[in-house]
Amino acid sequence: MHIAVPIKRVPDTETRFTIAADGKSVDTTGLKYDMSDFDGYAVEVALQLAEKHEGSEVTVVSLGPDAVQETIRKALSMGATRGIQLKAADIPFDGFAIAQALASELREGNYDLILFGRNSTDSANGVVGTMTAELMDLPCVTAISELHIDGNRGTARRELEGAAEMVEFPLPAVLTIDEGIARPRLPGLKGIMAAKKKPIEVREAALGRPDLVIEKMALPPERSAGRIVGEGPGAVPELVRLLQTEAKVL
Amino acid sequence: MADMLAFAEARGGELRKVALEAVTAARRAADATGGGSVAALLIGPPGIGNHAPELGRAGADRVLVVEHEALAHCLPEVFAATAAKVIGDGGFRAAFFSASAEGRDLAPRVAAKLKVSMAADITSFGFDGDAMTAMHPVYIGKAIVTERLTGAPAIVTLRPGAIDAVETAKPGTVEAISPAMDPASARVRVKETVEQKGATLDLGEAPVIVSGGRGLRAAENFKLVEELAAAFGNAAVGATRAVTDDGWRAPTDQIGQTGRMVSPDLYVAVGISGAVQHLAGMRTSRVIVAINKDKDAPIFKIADYGIVGDLFEVVPVLTEAVRRARGAKS
Ligand SMILES: Cc1cc2nc3c(=O)[nH]c(=O)nc-3n(C[C@H](O)[C@H](O)[C@H](O)COP(=O)(O)OP(=O)(O)OC[C@H]3O[C@@H](n4cnc5c(N)ncnc54)[C@H](O)[C@@H]3O)c2cc1C
Ligand SMILES: Nc1ncnc2c1ncn2[C@@H]1O[C@H](COP(=O)(O)O)[C@@H](O)[C@H]1O
């Protein structure tokens, strides 16, 4: 099986963000970066499938400046076979612009499966996977939390609010990976050494026109710390009184 | 003056609340541009059209109804092809979907078919010349952007609950249309719908959420959380990833960065430490209550009201007190 996983380099979300001087981005001084959460899950799912199917290959693709090679290298050290950087000065905010570049690259690859994250943790649009599938005219199942591949057909569990569906689809297909399916493995020393020798191809990204742009970025209002009503069960009557009279939620 | 379309989401033959939110948003958008007309697209099994008047009352002038036996659940290929055709042919300025599981799936397909960019998970919007503007939380809610979307039609998904559905008093006309694609030719098919056990109220719609963390120590102790939720009467049960990872609750109950983002009137955190990844999913709740035995737990930094104590002692007493408070009211 040949599996592709588009992965995005994003700022670590544990960071305390501040807004940059331009008023439309975060201050990047001292920011740490990592692979977007769900993309880590997607790489893991791909690796597990590859381990089950002899002769499989896992290709990771990341669009962005040269720094994304670090993210690609991480996936290679987890066990991916090869990496592709789609080079762009920066990562556009517009998911459709990204999807067009990914689709034109992935079309060339003859992949059986393309696994995206459900959404990226920075721009959080949740559109790139589905749009890429549409541009490639491939069957697509979004937000899956279970996956079984049997020959050239697959079954996936798709999460809806308060319910789930089991869906069937033919390969090749595009899937977007949700919570619950896998935790990314930690790269071991052997993996890290091996990754140094694995190839990363670099090509110009064929980006679409950015029609969605950030005009302004702001921090949300701080939540002021409330109060400790009291200790133990004895504090319950006061809490209930506050919920009724002050917060008016009871 | 510009015409707007709203995608009216249904499940199990019933309209979902987010359908009315989408229509309300489309109505507001049409009015903001000087009073265009609003069409709602409603797709489902035979009989789904009976819900058209509800969409009319939320602000739809016309309800376009597609009824088909094969469309009792969402077949994304058929729904997206139909929505793209309706939106493309209808000359709409913008189309409003919900950022629900179904809307998040359909809207990007529709946008890509129409070869336009889209704005996802927006919490408010406006129009400015040839652009649509919108607010959207980024970096797991740690920042908010104002974005500009040029090009028409503008496809957007609305964060559930961000816009309150309102009722006007107009019925709206009904037009029957056909799916733009034969459902039998869909490549992806639904084998089975799995209804979650005991999930009466969806996390996204419940006014109250009672969530449990690792402090509960075992799956069976979640009955404490369930009983408290039941005492509120209008509450859903949520969980942390520590809990869903251990299989005490279904993955769909998880709230946070990689789970659901919720914003209820009241969020009760029981035995939850308050890791950033959890806070990401619930920090916009109107009122937050925390019960934790560790007075330094980070959850107390964002909770409006906290009780420091052993949850196994506090929660049963709280459940009883809530039951009594609600009993006294009704
Ligand atoms: C990529 C990534 C994504 C993640 N996504 C999510 C996510 O979406 N949602 C999420 O929740 N987490 C997520 N996490 C995990 C997160 O970092 C925390 O590990 C998790 O939220 C902790 O859950 P908890 O609060 O239940 O457990 P703990 O942190 O172990 O806290 C348990 C709390 O219970 C209290 N307690 C114990 N016993 C009692 C008692 N008898 N009475 C009262 N209090 C008691 C303790 O004082 C403690 O504060 C993610 C992590 C990563 C790396
Ligand atoms: N710059 C990028 N390079 C590679 N993959 C990306 C990029 N941006 C987004 N993706 C993929 O698309 C998914 C959804 O991203 P988004 O639509 O931004 O939420 C991510 O989880 C990645 O799998």
Side-chain angles (χ1 to χ4, degrees):
Chain A
M1 256 211 307
H2 202 169
I3 309 170
V5 188
I7 56 175
K8 188 177 189 186
R9 177 180 187 263
V10 299
D12 183 352
T13 45
E14 302 250 0
T15 315
R16 198 174 240 296
F17 294 107
T18 50
I19 303 298
D22 68 359
K24 44 171 96 173
S25 59
V26 291
D27 185 351
T28 54
T29 342
L31 274 195
K32 285 208 286 282
Y33 290 81
D34 202 349
M35 194 185 305
S36 189
D37 293 345
F38 293 110
D39 303 358
Y41 302 174
V43 170
E44 180 61 38
V45 171
L47 293 174
Q48 289 181 13
L49 282 173
E51 282 156 8
K52 263 193 238 146
H53 297 85
E54 191 132 356
S56 292
E57 269 186 34
V58 176
T59 302
V60 294
V61 185
S62 193
L63 182 152
D66 289 345
V68 305
Q69 290 194 13
E70 189 192 347
T71 314
I72 293 176
R73 205 57 83 182
K74 178 173 179 184
L76 295 178
S77 63
M78 288 169 71
T81 322
R82 62 184 188 118
I84 299 172
Q85 178 196 0
L86 296 179
K87 201 177 165 95
D90 45 42
I91 303 177
F93 184 67
D94 186 342
F96 192 45
I98 297 174
Q100 289 171 72
L102 289 175
S104 74
E105 169 61 35
L106 294 167
R107 247 181 232 123
E108 305 304 318
N110 247 325
Y111 299 100
D112 301 298
L113 269 183
I114 306 176
L115 306 180
F116 285 83
R118 179 188 84 179
N119 60 251
S120 54
T121 41
D122 57 351
S123 49
N125 287 319
V127 302
V128 171
T130 325
M131 285 179 153
T132 305
E134 196 61 51
L135 292 171
M136 297 177 73
D137 193 24
L138 287 178
C140 172
V141 187
T142 59
I144 68 164
S145 61
E146 269 175 42
L147 175 64
H148 309 279
I149 301 291
D150 189 7
N152 59 358
R153 295 200 66 79
T155 312
R157 180 185 164 105
R158 165 169 158 61
E159 298 300 338
L160 304 166
E161 295 92 6
E165 284 172 352
M166 296 302 294
V167 300
E168 277 186 326
F169 57 90
L171 301 190
V174 171
L175 308 171
T176 78
I177 302 296
D178 202 343
E179 182 62 288
I181 193 163
R183 287 278 172 267
R185 64 190 66 185
L186 293 173
L189 193 59
K190 244 172 87 189
I192 294 170
M193 296 310 290
K196 293 198 170 132
K197 293 193 214 87
K198 291 181 181 171
I200 298 181
E201 291 165 43
V202 182
R203 284 192 270 287
E204 280 309 307
L207 286 167
R209 188 183 62 222
D211 278 340
L212 178 72
V213 296
I214 297 179
E215 195 170 55
K216 207 172 87 197
M217 188 182 287
L219 299 179
E222 283 276 338
R223 238 197 134 92
S224 49
R227 65 190 117 140
I228 302 287
V229 177
E231 286 187 21
V236 166
E238 176 63 1
L239 173 64
V240 168
R241 191 189 67 79
L242 288 167
L243 292 179
Q244 284 180 309
T245 57
E246 193 177 82
K248 299 195 168 37
V249 283
L250 189 63
Chain B
M1 215 161 80
D3 295 344
M4 305 291 165
L5 182 111
F7 177 77
E9 190 173 321
R11 194 189 295 168
E14 299 292 328
L15 283 184
R16 299 195 70 212
K17 189 172 159 222
V18 291
L20 303 178
E21 294 174 5
V23 174
T24 301
R27 178 78 267 160
R28 234 181 259 173
D31 293 347
T33 60
S37 93
V38 171
L41 174 61
L42 176 58
I43 307 179
I48 196 72
N50 297 338
H51 292 289
E54 294 160 54
L55 298 172
R57 282 195 295 275
D61 301 302
R62 293 189 298 149
V63 182
L64 312 175
V65 179
V66 182
E67 293 189 345
H68 195 292
E69 310 78 60
L71 298 179
H73 33 230
C74 178
L75 291 180
E77 291 162 84
V78 182
F79 278 48
T82 306
K85 179 155 179 21
V86 166
I87 296 166
D89 292 353
F92 295 102
R93 173 68 188 86
F96 294 81
F97 293 76
S98 172
S100 58
E102 186 171 317
R104 284 197 310 265
D105 180 284
L106 294 177
R109 295 176 196 259
V110 171
K113 280 180 194 294
L114 295 171
K115 301 273 180 278
V116 293
S117 300
M118 64 165 284
D121 197 26
I122 65 174
T123 53
S124 67
F125 63 86
F127 292 88
D128 177 18
D130 64 351
M132 186 167 176
T133 57
M135 309 262 277
H136 164 61
V138 293
Y139 300 110
I140 63 162
K142 288 184 164 186
I144 297 164
V145 293
T146 306
E147 51 195 18
R148 263 183 101 76
L149 176 61
T150 43
I155 310 291
V156 303
T157 58
L158 295 162
R159 176 167 282 210
I163 283 164
D164 285 330
V166 294
E167 287 223 346
T168 61
K170 288 195 305 156
T173 62
V174 178
E175 294 164 37
I177 60 171
S178 317
M181 174 185 154
D182 179 5
S185 62
R187 295 169 294 187
V188 177
R189 352 204 94 258
V190 179
K191 263 205 329 195
E192 155 190 20
T193 304
V194 194
E195 286 299 336
Q196 241 171 271
K197 52 173 190 323
T200 38
L201 259 180
D202 177 55
L203 285 170
E205 293 182 3
V208 177
I209 293 176
V210 184
S211 267
R214 189 158 23 211
L216 280 144
R217 277 196 232 134
E220 57 272 22
N221 296 334
F222 251 83
K223 75 172 186 305
L224 287 177
V225 171
E226 277 164 5
E227 283 163 6
L228 178 53
F232 279 106
N234 54 356
V237 172
T240 63
R241 192 172 93 165
V243 163
T244 55
D245 269 0
D246 281 351
W248 302 353
R249 300 291 298 185
T252 37
D253 288 350
Q254 182 180 317
I255 288 168
Q257 175 169 335
T258 53
R260 299 283 299 274
M261 304 271 182
V262 297
S263 207
D265 290 334
L266 174 63
Y267 189 92
V268 185
V270 178
I272 291 176
S273 61
V276 285
Q277 294 91 351
H278 187 74
L279 303 186
M282 45 65 77
R283 66 179 318 138
T284 55
S285 304
R286 189 160 78 75
V287 177
I288 298 172
V289 170
I291 299 163
N292 196 303
K293 68 174 181 192
D294 173 8
K295 69 170 178 17
D296 296 320
I299 190 78
F300 286 128
K301 292 211 178 66
I302 65 148
D304 300 279
Y305 307 111
I307 292 184
V308 178
D310 184 348
L311 70 90
F312 294 97
E313 292 171 15
V314 175
V315 173
V317 177
L318 179 59
T319 301
E320 198 38 51
V322 169
R323 209 175 276 144
R324 252 182 304 157
R326 289 192 19 101
K329 225 163 89 178
S330 59

